[in-house]
Amino acid sequence: VMSKFGYDGKFVPKRNSPCIRLGYYSDGCALLWKSDVFELVKEQRRQYDKGGQVYILATLRHRKSNRCVVFGSTHLKAKKGLANEKVRTSQAKELFREAKKVAKSLIGHGESKNIPIIVMGDFNAD
């Protein structure tokens, strides 16, 4: 649908989404970009080591400047409480660790040391 408006994107569903049990499509997270502004170089769609939540990391090349940017999209563990806060912290650490690995892998492949990383999502923080 979004391609009609000039967007491209990726979606990763949660494997054990409660939505499926209710007869709906799975929730998850998405990452969309204007296809005339960015082009996809590579992407990773994964489930976190802890919890059933998912994330996307996408390396997009800015068409005008030819520079790469690493984008991340996530939806961290919901619900209050210390146990869930620990899961969210673990998930955030994993996401940033993986994003840094992706950025580092671009160095020496036409990219400088300063590769931007932009992470967005629902962090379920109070």
Side-chain angles (χ1 to χ4, degrees), residues 5 8 14 21-22 24 28 42 51 53 55 63 68 73 77 81 91 94-95 100 105 112 116 119-120 122:
F5 302 101
D8 199 354
K14 284 172 50 177
R21 292 191 300 273
L22 298 172
Y24 298 101
K42 63 181 176 180
Q53 292 70 35
Y55 65 92
R63 292 182 186 277
C68 284
S73 177
K77 176 74 176 157
Q91 290 173 339
E94 180 179 342
L95 179 61
K100 287 179 187 178
S105 74
S112 70
V119 176
M120 61 211 94
D122 184 345

Side-chain angles (χ1 to χ4, degrees), residues 65-78:
S65 69
N66 207 36
R67 294 272 330 267
C68 284
V69 180
V70 177
F71 287 92
S73 177
T74 190
H75 189 163
L76 300 183
K77 176 74 176 157

Side-chain angles (χ1 to χ4, degrees), residues 61-102:
R61 183 176 311 281
H62 184 251
R63 292 182 186 277
K64 190 172 183 178
S65 69
N66 207 36
R67 294 272 330 267
C68 284
V69 180
V70 177
F71 287 92
S73 177
T74 190
H75 189 163
L76 300 183
K77 176 74 176 157
K79 298 184 183 170
K80 296 183 183 220
L82 184 58
N84 290 323
E85 186 61 33
K86 287 181 179 182
V87 172
R88 281 189 290 279
T89 299
S90 173
Q91 290 173 339
K93 287 179 180 179
E94 180 179 342
L95 179 61
F96 282 95
R97 182 179 62 245
E98 293 302 315
K100 287 179 187 178
K101 283 182 190 177
V102 170

Side-chain angles (χ1 to χ4, degrees), residues 67-68 107 111-116:
R67 294 272 330 267
C68 284
I107 297 171
E111 292 297 324
S112 70
K113 291 183 180 180
N114 298 319
I115 298 164

